[in-house]
Every structure is written in C-alpha cells, then in structure tokens.
Amino acid sequence: MKLMRVGPLGQEKPALLDAAGRIRDLSAHVDDIAGAALSPEGLARLAALDPDSLPLIEGKPRIGACVGAVGKFLCIGLNYADHARETGKEPPEEPVVFAKATSAICGPDDDVEIPRGSEKTDWEVELGVVIGSRAKYVSEAEAMDHVAGYCLINDLSERAFQSERGGQWTKGKSHDTFGPIGPWLVTRDEIADVQSLSMWLDVDGVRRQTGSTATMIFGVAHLVSYLSQFMTLLPGDVISTGTPPGVGLGMKPPVYLRAGQVVTLGIEGLGTQRQRMIPA
C-alpha cells in the first residue's frame, strides 16, 4: 500500500493512493497514518479494504508528511562511505546517530526555509524507515518485523550551524521545514529489496546526487536493531538512514542553496519531492 496524508497544514486527513494513482479518503477507517494504524494489525485492516469503495479526493490537494504524530525523528550520519570521505571524514565503525526536531517535519512539496543568517544550507536525499511496532533490544534477524514501511526524506542541513557552532548536529538539522517526508509511506511488502533502491537529487534541474541504498554501510535491519539497544522504538518513529555523495558541502568549492532555487529528489518506488527555497 501507499499511504499518505493530504490537506492543509495541521489538518491533514489519512488517505491511500490506489493502483490508478488516485487519492482515496481513509478518514472513515482510521484517524491518522500514525500510532496503532502502523502496527501489523492496523496495516492488515487497511490492506483488506477495497480501494474502489473509498471516497475519491478530487483535485490536487496539498500532500502532507506521510506519517503523523512522529515521536522520534532519528537520523544516521555518514552512512555511505563515499559521502563520509567527501565531507573529510572516515567511514564510521558504528552508526553515527543524531536527532532532528519533529517541528522540522513538513510535506514533500512544501517550501523550505533558508534560516536567517544561513550561508550553508545543504541537501541530502535519504531513505526513511517508519517503525510499526515497539522494538526494544531486537536482534538484526527480527528487526524488519518492526518496520511498517519506507518513505523519501530530504535531510536538509545548515552546515555552519551543524559543525561550526559547537559541533552539535541537531541544531544544524532542525530548522522548520528541514524534514520533508513523503509523498507516501510505502508498506514493507511492496519493496522487494530495500537495500537495492536507486536515489537521486537535482538542484535547479542539475543532477547533484546519484546513488543506491546498496552502498549503505549499515543496512536497515542493522540500524533498527542497533537503535533498539539504546532506546525503545515506537510506532510512528522515523529513521532517516543517511545520504549518498553529491551534497553541496562535498563540492569543490562547496555550493549551497539560495532562496528561489528548486530541489527535486526521488527514490525508486517511493515517489518524488519538489521544494522551493524561500527566506525564513
């Protein structure tokens, strides 16, 4: 299934994208794409519905973040060896973990703010993993049983805030609109091999990132298991799993985003995003 949330900011309703690409209203069956709806039982109930029986949502509504009420927005840094090297760092021996404020979450096509005083706002196409059931001390072999599905994320970053203001990544990653998520949450059963998905990102139509989840240092199962050793993962938690090379920081000389520019990105099977940069 491709689950989504549509409508004005803060008023999104749950929806499903049918096989013909039409948006179907799920409001009569679930309050939101969040919490218990993401459990194996919750997803099974939604999968049992006949999409043709669901009301159509006409027109072109705003698409919101595909997950509501996100509890934790966890990110993995330097998870592609060639990206680590382009930033001047060696590939890590263990996952680099940081948090992104949930207030950064926005829709996949919403405008993205360049923070006040920013000169180093950067882009990062990433695979998102959405947790569907409680995971605490889970093994790598059982980790995937706790995954509801996957989504596309742009892990926007302000590099000076991240690395030149005390070295605390979270404050360089958490500006409002720095977490576009969606357009869809694609359930795990629809992705044959999550470690073999092509990914790309363009700035003003110029290709900047081309990669594949095949080159991740730490795969999805390892990351879910690893994180569950340090904190309990709950339904609706989102993990952004790292970016391939081609970020602005890694260019020589570095190139960063400016107001008026347009970023487009996509991951095979997970849809695309489009964001216009605006001043905060």
Side-chain angles (χ1 to χ4, degrees):
M1 288 183 295
K2 292 182 174 68
L3 302 174
M4 55 196 305
R5 301 168 68 248
V6 299
L9 181 64
Q11 302 175 42
E12 295 92 346
K13 63 173 62 177
L16 175 151
L17 191 75
D18 70 18
R22 296 168 299 192
I23 301 174
R24 300 281 185 166
D25 191 346
L26 284 172
S27 298
H29 301 276
V30 66
D31 292 334
D32 200 357
I33 307 301
L38 298 170
S39 69
E41 298 78 16
L43 293 178
R45 284 194 292 271
L46 295 179
L49 299 172
D50 176 6
D52 290 337
S53 71
L54 302 171
L56 275 171
I57 298 178
E58 303 288 356
K60 294 185 177 181
R62 171 187 171 271
I63 300 175
C66 60
V67 185
V70 175
K72 292 190 284 295
F73 194 173
L74 302 170
C75 303
I76 308 300
L78 309 175
N79 197 26
Y80 291 70
D82 35 13
H83 167 62
R85 294 192 181 98
E86 76 174 347
T87 65
K89 298 179 174 66
E90 287 301 311
E93 295 183 2
E94 287 193 43
V96 174
V97 180
F98 62 94
K100 203 174 182 86
T102 55
S103 54
I105 294 172
C106 66
D109 302 326
D110 289 348
D111 291 342
V112 164
E113 295 182 356
I114 304 288
R116 294 179 184 179
S118 168
E119 295 182 353
K120 297 184 178 181
T121 296
D122 205 348
W123 57 82
E124 295 188 11
V125 58
E126 303 202 4
L127 168 73
V129 177
V130 180
I131 298 299
S133 60
R134 185 178 184 274
K136 181 175 183 179
Y137 294 122
V138 300
S139 68
E140 193 164 336
E142 62 190 351
M144 299 303 280
D145 294 338
H146 298 271
V147 173
Y150 309 102
C151 59
L152 172 62
I153 294 176
N154 189 355
D155 175 23
L156 288 131
S157 314
E158 212 300 333
R159 301 299 188 186
F161 298 176
Q162 176 184 351
S163 301
E164 301 169 25
R165 300 283 297 275
Q168 298 174 25
W169 285 24
T170 296
K171 66 189 178 188
K173 299 280 191 170
S174 293
H175 186 78
D176 293 353
T177 71
F178 268 24
I181 298 179
W184 320 306
L185 186 164
V186 181
T187 51
R188 184 164 48 95
D189 59 292
E190 285 207 6
I191 302 298
D193 183 1
V194 73
Q195 300 300 161
S196 182
L197 302 178
S198 59
M199 52 205 309
W200 58 272
L201 181 144
D202 292 351
V203 179
D204 286 343
V206 177
R207 183 60 45 94
R208 295 301 190 190
Q209 289 186 275
T210 302
S212 170
T213 59
T215 63
M216 290 168 63
I217 299 171
F218 306 106
V220 171
H222 181 88
L223 292 174
V224 172
S225 173
Y226 181 86
L227 289 168
S228 80
Q229 311 306 307
F230 301 98
M231 65 194 81
T232 300
L233 301 176
L234 298 172
D237 286 351
V238 175
I239 305 167
S240 200
T241 59
T243 197
V247 299
L249 174 65
M251 299 178 69
K252 300 187 188 324
V255 174
Y256 297 110
L257 293 167
R258 306 181 307 277
Q261 291 190 298
V262 174
V263 174
T264 52
L265 58 150
I267 295 180
E268 179 184 356
L270 301 183
T272 61
Q273 299 184 355
R274 182 186 186 277
Q275 296 116 27
R276 181 172 60 95
M277 304 297 117
I278 63 171

